Amino acid sequence: MKKDLCALLRGNSYPGRGILLGRSADGRSAVIAYFIMGRSENSRNRIFEETEDGIRTKAFDESRMTDPSLIIYHPVRRLENGTTIVTNGDQTDTIRQHMAEGRCYRHGLHSRTFEPDGPNWTPRISGVVQPDGKYALSILKSLDGDESCCCRYFFEYEAPAAGTGHFISTYQGDGNPLPSFTGEPIPVAVDAPDASALAKELWESLNPDNKVSLFVEYIDLEHGNRHTTICNKHC
């Protein structure tokens, strides 16, 4: 049963970073959304900036950036064949390299593990959207907080139904340590007619203190045209 993603987000003060992949209500567009949140000043001091093949995170105030590791990366990158990669870390580049060389995204992720930020051991969440709208989500996380064991889960959706998406985030909610996301990606309804409408809904649903940036993109499956909206708390 599809859930209301905005309601889920309103009820969760800190899902961390989240990926939504799906199909628009009219079935004509692939849908991508990615957001980041932050509890520390360093994490909150960021914006999304467009690049030639996607977006990158960037310090809003360079003078306040204390540690760029794990928070400065390319969340979204596109391959020449139209495939789109979206992740919560520099595994975007790992996946891109493997796919550009003709290998599967899974091969790239088997060379990576969760983030080295104990005791949270933040999961690495990743998504891949094919030009025909098929998509995959994955999560690499510790086994119940055991840093010696990395669990890799892959979820592939070959025929996504119109108006349907799947959502995955790094955390179940706030806590200390932060509890990792559990279970399969959550099936959610995708009703917004375009990228700007979905971005407005999601942005207003994220916790106002912790939200940092949001990227939403609708990709026309017939022509490949992309319609993108970016929201940054720091403008």
Side-chain angles (χ1 to χ4, degrees), residues 9-216:
L9 294 176
R10 286 193 296 270
N12 187 346
S13 65
Y14 200 67
R17 286 159 277 176
I19 298 174
L20 165 67
L21 301 182
R23 185 71 61 88
S24 61
D26 61 11
R28 297 178 180 177
S29 300
V31 176
I32 301 172
Y34 176 67
F35 64 77
I36 60 174
M37 306 181 82
R39 298 190 302 177
S40 69
E41 180 181 1
N42 198 45
S43 293
R44 292 177 174 180
N45 179 36
R46 290 184 290 172
I47 59 172
F48 283 166
E49 181 179 74
E50 288 194 79
T51 64
E52 290 185 357
D53 67 346
I55 61 172
R56 67 170 181 168
T57 59
K58 179 183 177 182
F60 173 68
D61 183 346
E62 296 285 354
S63 67
R64 292 168 49 206
M65 176 62 65
T66 58
D67 181 8
S69 65
L70 301 179
I71 65 171
I72 300 299
Y73 56 94
H74 289 82
V76 178
R77 299 198 72 175
R78 307 181 190 99
L79 295 174
E80 292 183 0
N81 67 358
T83 297
T84 306
I85 303 163
V86 53
T87 89
N88 72 323
D90 62 10
Q91 73 268 26
T92 309
D93 298 330
T94 304
I95 295 172
R96 182 180 183 276
Q97 178 181 349
H98 278 72
M99 296 191 74
E101 294 172 352
R103 295 190 291 266
C104 176
Y105 78 96
R106 292 188 299 273
H107 287 86
L109 289 173
H110 273 285
S111 70
R112 303 301 302 270
T113 184
F114 46 82
E115 295 184 357
D117 64 341
N120 295 317
W121 310 120
T122 296
R124 292 190 187 272
I125 55 174
S126 306
V128 176
V129 181
Q130 303 290 349
D132 61 2
K134 297 176 184 177
Y135 58 84
L137 286 163
S138 70
I139 182 168
L140 314 182
K141 62 179 185 175
S142 68
L143 179 61
D144 299 324
D146 180 359
E147 63 179 295
S148 67
C149 181
C150 179
C151 303
R152 297 179 174 86
Y153 301 92
F154 302 94
F155 308 90
E156 300 181 352
Y157 305 88
E158 293 191 353
T164 299
H166 291 86
F167 172 75
I168 195 168
S169 58
T170 52
Y171 311 123
Q172 289 288 103
D174 210 340
N176 189 22
L178 289 159
S180 295
F181 182 91
T182 61
E184 296 184 14
I186 301 169
V188 296
V190 181
D191 300 323
D194 53 40
S196 60
L198 179 58
K200 184 175 186 296
E201 293 177 2
L202 295 178
W203 189 246
E204 292 178 350
S205 302
L206 293 169
N207 181 275
D209 294 325
N210 295 326
K211 66 183 179 183
V212 175
S213 295
L214 168 69
F215 166 92
V216 177

